[in-house]
Amino acid sequence: MNALSELRSRFEKVLSELTSDPAPFVGMIKPTQDATFGDFQANCAMPLAKQRGTNPRSLAAEIVSKLAVSDLCHPPEVAGPGFINIRLKEDWLTERINAVVADPRLGVELAAKPKRVVIDYSAPNVAKPMHVGHLRSTVLGNALYRVFKFCGHQVVGDNHIGDWGTQFGMILFGYKNLLDAAAFQSNAVGELARLYRLVSQLSTYHDSKAELPIAETRRSQLETELKAAEATKAPNDKQAEKALKKLRTDVAEILDQIKTLNKQIETVESSQVLKALADAHPQIAELARLETAKLHARDEENTRLWNQFVPQCLAAIQGIYDRLDIQFDMTHGESYYNPLLAIVVEEMQKNGLAVESDKAICVFIPGNAAPFLIRKSDGAFTYATTDLATIRYRVKELNADTMIYVVDTRQSEHFRLLFETARLWGYGDRQFVHVNFGTILGKDNKPYKTRSGDTVGLESLLDAAVAKARQIVNENDDRKKDDAGNPTPELDDATRAVVAETVGIGAIKYADLRHNRESDYVYDEDKMLATTGDTATYMQYAYARVCGIFRKGSINRETLRQGAGQIRFTHPSERALSLQLLRFSEALDGVLSEFRPNILTDYLFATANSFSTFYQECSVLKEPDEATRTSRLLLCDLTARVIAVGLDLLGIKTCEQM
RNA sequence: GCGCCCAUAGCUCAGCUGGAUAGAGCAACGGAUUUCUAAUCCGUAGGUCGGGGGUUCGAAUCCCUCUGGGCGUACCA
């Protein structure tokens, strides 16, 4: 048990005498923000005194007097308006840290009540190559997957790929009408991706052509309105001021839209080849939709092509997963649930949850303006239907009690409606969580795109980061010198390549995980691969430095751990590092209770920092006193294990040597 | 129009179930190197937590309001 939960359980005994619901007050015991107040502080006396109408300081004193904690900390002190400050005893700390040395789980207990969790993450579309938009769901979801698993929960990682939608119809249409057979022969997936882009581009072109005049009409309308409003506006009329502002924004927006439309038209019309194709296929969007419908209706040819394409696309995606070290327990795409959809809709209509409206079948949830649409007016099902069928499958077949969706925050409304519908449908006893996250932005603070406006492919992103990492690895290794100042590079070419891959991929993942998931963040390669600061590299480097100690001292870490040596404190940095290492499980608890891996990145950064300070202050191999040397070696070993396991839980790898 | 989210140091961000002088990293400035890997460490400076009001012993955190931004808004997922 970690120090925090130990303290909390001791406090709970006392607090339960003072209140019928001690839980929120127990939660007010936290690590101190400022080390001068000790290691932990309890803030519960003030609010509890308010509740009981007594004096907070004397209540704090009363709590302290009843508290049985003399085995683990110094007598708690009451400070300020009623804070209780706690400093752990060295004896207790050394006992705990030595226990953790012998613990392969590093002091993290398995969950007492394991949950049956399904985590739905990554979910790319097979029709198009993975791009920057898939990064967060993949990285965040996999980190949560790993932490849940490590903490003893039964986890199913499910990749709910898009293999059944409109996009696939575009591929089918493209394959039948626009195929470059030679290209398909040499690189099938690449050609399918090109076809998707092409069909998508051509149908956008026709849409834009149709929309442009409408937008122009709207523009002149708005501009007229704006002029009139400007002319008639009385000074100091706040209402009119506001309306005017709104009009100006509207005009700016419509101009922007017209610009986009013109650009899309221009792109096609500036190319003779594209223009000819566009003219040859005026109904392309509709025909592509028809292909989708035929697929759904089990058309023989489309089914055959689907069976041929999907495995190839999946194999291509798998290449990226391998490189990112991402695993799933199952990959059930949308197609998997297709047979269940009609039943779901029928059932929901029968029990009155869903009704027909404008020829579509909808679930109306009170308090929500938009209905939850489970069948379109043309008879096709939507992703809402699929998601409902998926919930039923996960409950019935996988026995899930918790279902986690790692999906962009822009889909919040969908999940609110989905979860509410699921509750009405009879799954109110299950926990549903939308682990939402923000957008990855470019340096212009707009969604990250290439200069020409295309989405950025994930593969090229990885390649760029790894190439940059390779430069850094080269520079660093070439800089190494012996005492006489002669260069002594340590890494051969193959090793440098491995280190670069580890550092480059780690940098991307860490940059994603360290931010509060709900915030948007700016993708900045220079920053994530900076050789200084809060980056994966910093922790990977700390780990490599520890490994260097063992390598140089020819020390076997297993033997060391099983020896009779003990960790003891001879320097403040040893105590600080030990306390930090003992907080590992607190960090993991935090990740799971809030679904926030950034709590773990914070912890690991603080740990590596703590280690770096210790490393600076305390020599290990050169330490003459053998007991102290062994103590420090044990501390090094434990630090390395915590950092390596912690990074592994984030899906980030380490190198013995950098 | 309706709804959701955001605004914290020069920059990028933590902190948000209310708690002690608001924290990191980068950048700036000053120090540490006969190195167990300086891809490091130590220190200094930098903030009316967007503005205003309210609740409270106490507010970056909760409520109201204003301003500025982002996103979503029934048949794409």
Side-chain angles (χ1 to χ4, degrees):
Chain A
M1 190 177 273
N2 64 47
L4 185 59
S5 21
E6 186 70 52
L7 274 171
R8 282 181 173 168
S9 81
R10 306 285 179 99
F11 266 85
E12 190 170 10
K13 288 198 185 95
V14 178
L15 290 170
S16 56
E17 291 175 26
L18 298 168
T19 173
S20 55
D21 182 21
F25 298 102
V26 170
M28 292 176 197
I29 299 156
K30 308 179 172 176
T32 49
Q33 267 189 357
D34 186 332
T36 58
F37 298 131
D39 300 319
F40 293 92
Q41 62 180 29
N43 304 336
C44 52
M46 281 100 55
L48 187 57
K50 188 194 275 183
Q51 187 186 27
R52 293 161 54 88
T54 58
N55 177 286
R57 267 195 80 98
S58 57
L59 182 65
E62 188 188 339
I63 293 171
V64 167
S65 71
K66 288 183 177 167
L67 214 50
V69 288
S70 57
D71 55 323
L72 67 139
C73 61
H74 297 286
E77 286 171 14
V78 178
F83 297 101
I84 301 170
N85 291 335
I86 290 158
R87 176 173 284 274
L88 297 170
K89 277 187 174 168
E90 311 251 308
D91 285 355
W92 190 85
L93 268 177
T94 49
E95 188 201 313
R96 292 302 311 156
I97 195 80
N98 282 299
V100 174
V101 166
D103 180 3
R105 295 189 48 81
L106 303 168
V108 181
E109 288 173 11
L110 292 167
K113 292 177 194 161
K115 291 183 188 169
R116 182 81 179 157
V117 186
V118 175
I119 305 187
D120 182 326
Y121 67 101
S122 195
N125 200 296
V126 293
K128 40 190 172 180
M130 285 179 87
H131 56 84
V132 62
H134 298 110
L135 188 63
R136 293 202 88 177
S137 177
T138 306
V139 170
L140 219 37
N142 190 243
L144 291 173
Y145 173 79
R146 286 164 183 256
V147 176
F148 265 103
K149 207 164 195 176
F150 183 77
C151 291
H153 296 283
Q154 296 175 31
V155 200
V156 178
D158 186 9
N159 194 4
H160 192 72
I161 52 167
D163 60 358
W164 202 245
T166 323
Q167 317 82 350
F168 213 88
M170 294 190 184
I171 285 196
L172 289 168
F173 179 89
Y175 180 83
K176 292 178 182 178
N177 299 283
L178 302 161
L179 184 72
D180 177 341
F184 186 74
Q185 194 73 30
S186 63
N187 175 7
V189 177
E191 172 61 6
L192 291 180
R194 184 192 72 89
L195 288 170
Y196 165 74
R197 276 198 308 273
L198 180 60
V199 174
S200 170
Q201 187 175 34
L202 296 178
S203 42
T204 305
Y205 168 78
H206 289 298
D207 286 350
S208 299
K209 281 290 251 194
E211 212 165 308
L212 190 57
I214 301 169
E216 288 288 5
T217 311
R218 173 103 180 111
R219 183 189 66 159
S220 57
Q221 194 181 349
L222 281 170
E223 279 175 345
T224 314
E225 273 180 53
L226 180 61
K227 262 181 203 152
E230 274 170 342
T232 57
K233 188 189 93 68
N236 299 328
D237 183 343
K238 272 204 153 182
Q239 203 86 21
E241 194 85 57
K242 230 178 153 177
L244 209 56
K245 211 177 130 193
K246 172 88 175 83
L247 269 174
R248 290 202 179 103
T249 335
D250 287 351
V251 169
E253 260 172 32
I254 197 82
L255 284 173
D256 204 55
Q257 194 195 336
I258 288 170
K259 204 172 140 195
T260 309
L261 292 174
N262 274 322
K263 199 176 160 196
Q264 277 156 352
I265 293 167
E266 167 65 18
T267 311
V268 169
E269 292 189 344
S270 65
S271 153
Q272 281 188 3
V273 180
L274 286 176
K275 181 69 169 69
L277 285 174
D279 291 343
H281 302 282
Q283 303 296 321
I284 191 161
E286 201 186 318
L287 292 172
R289 270 197 295 275
L290 207 65
E291 296 295 347
T292 313
K294 275 165 75 182
L295 173 68
H296 290 185
R298 300 287 171 200
D299 170 79
E300 196 192 329
E301 188 189 7
N302 282 8
T303 305
R304 183 178 59 75
L305 290 173
W306 187 89
N307 281 321
Q308 181 190 341
F309 295 160
V310 168
Q312 290 177 302
C313 295
L314 284 180
I317 292 171
Q318 190 57 42
I320 296 212
Y321 288 142
D322 288 344
R323 204 169 165 195
L324 284 172
D325 194 20
I326 303 287
Q327 306 82 22
F328 300 94
D329 299 298
M330 56 173 61
T331 297
H332 284 181
E334 293 168 339
S335 61
Y336 186 87
Y337 303 96
N338 185 54
L340 310 172
L341 303 183
I343 304 167
V344 168
V345 173
E346 200 177 309
E347 189 180 310
M348 300 202 81
Q349 277 182 287
K350 224 174 253 172
N351 64 20
L353 273 175
V355 294
E356 195 179 312
S357 166
D358 282 351
K359 289 189 192 159
I361 310 295
C362 307
V363 180
F364 286 92
I365 310 245
N368 288 281
F372 197 53
L373 209 148
I374 58 174
R375 205 181 74 193
K376 299 193 282 185
S377 53
D378 65 4
F381 303 108
T382 72
Y383 73 140
T385 332
T386 313
D387 281 351
L388 285 168
T390 306
I391 286 174
R392 166 171 283 179
Y393 176 85
R394 287 174 179 167
V395 172
K396 277 196 172 170
E397 305 299 325
L398 306 177
N399 196 25
D401 50 50
T402 305
M403 282 155 271
I404 296 173
Y405 298 79
V406 188
V407 182
D408 196 306
T409 200
R410 281 172 290 200
Q411 287 189 44
S412 295
E413 199 171 5
H414 167 71
F415 284 106
R416 211 171 31 243
L417 292 168
L418 174 67
F419 298 163
E420 192 52 45
T421 304
R423 273 186 277 273
L424 295 171
W425 200 24
Y427 297 109
D429 57 337
R430 312 290 153 153
Q431 193 193 357
F432 298 97
V433 187
H434 176 204
V435 174
N436 59 329
F437 55 82
T439 309
I440 299 182
L441 307 174
K443 285 187 184 162
D444 55 358
N445 272 320
K446 289 189 183 139
Y448 190 37
K449 297 268 170 70
T450 62
R451 237 166 277 158
S452 57
D454 298 326
T455 54
V456 180
L458 201 44
E459 187 95 62
S460 62
L461 218 55
L462 303 184
D463 288 339
V466 170
K468 203 172 164 65
R470 177 58 193 258
Q471 273 182 5
I472 294 166
V473 172
N474 286 346
E475 280 168 24
N476 188 63
D477 200 41
D478 290 339
R479 214 167 36 220
K480 289 176 187 161
K481 287 181 192 133
D482 64 11
D483 291 347
N486 304 310
T488 56
E490 295 171 356
L491 310 176
D492 61 27
D493 195 63
T495 312
R496 287 184 181 195
V498 172
V499 174
E501 183 81 11
T502 307
V503 168
I505 304 281
I508 291 181
K509 287 190 172 186
Y510 189 85
D512 198 280
L513 294 166
R514 69 179 276 252
H515 292 100
N516 180 329
R517 61 177 161 78
E518 285 170 299
S519 324
D520 297 346
Y521 77 91
V522 175
Y523 190 91
D524 185 338
E525 210 160 70
D526 294 327
K527 251 170 206 160
M528 66 176 71
L529 276 158
T531 55
T532 56
D534 185 7
T535 60
T537 321
Y538 177 76
M539 274 148 280
Q540 288 168 326
Y541 180 66
Y543 178 80
R545 289 215 287 182
V546 185
C547 293
I549 291 176
F550 292 112
R551 195 168 51 246
K552 250 185 199 150
S554 305
I555 287 150
N556 181 300
R557 292 169 62 183
E558 278 300 323
T559 317
L560 172 75
R561 250 171 261 160
Q562 278 149 23
Q566 293 273 301
I567 292 177
R568 46 179 214 169
F569 305 146
T570 62
H571 188 279
S573 65
E574 294 170 314
R575 184 191 192 275
L577 176 57
S578 298
L579 183 57
Q580 178 63 24
L581 293 171
L582 286 173
R583 286 182 173 164
F584 186 40
S585 64
E586 287 172 32
L588 298 185
D589 287 348
V591 172
L592 291 191
S593 65
E594 315 221 354
F595 311 99
R596 291 187 194 286
N598 68 314
I599 294 174
L600 182 52
T601 61
D602 277 359
Y603 169 80
L604 289 173
F605 181 62
T607 305
N609 201 18
S610 219
F611 171 76
S612 293
T613 304
F614 158 79
Y615 185 90
Q616 200 79 17
E617 305 275 336
C618 300
S619 54
V620 181
L621 291 173
K622 287 177 186 166
E623 168 56 43
D625 181 72
E626 197 187 329
T628 304
R629 187 167 67 244
T630 307
S631 162
R632 289 179 181 170
L633 282 167
L634 284 166
L635 207 43
C636 285
D637 169 60
L638 187 56
T639 305
R641 286 156 68 201
V642 168
I643 289 178
V645 170
L647 285 176
D648 181 68
L649 291 177
L650 297 173
I652 296 170
K653 292 179 180 168
T654 43
C655 299
E656 299 273 311
Q657 211 171 348
M658 288 171 73

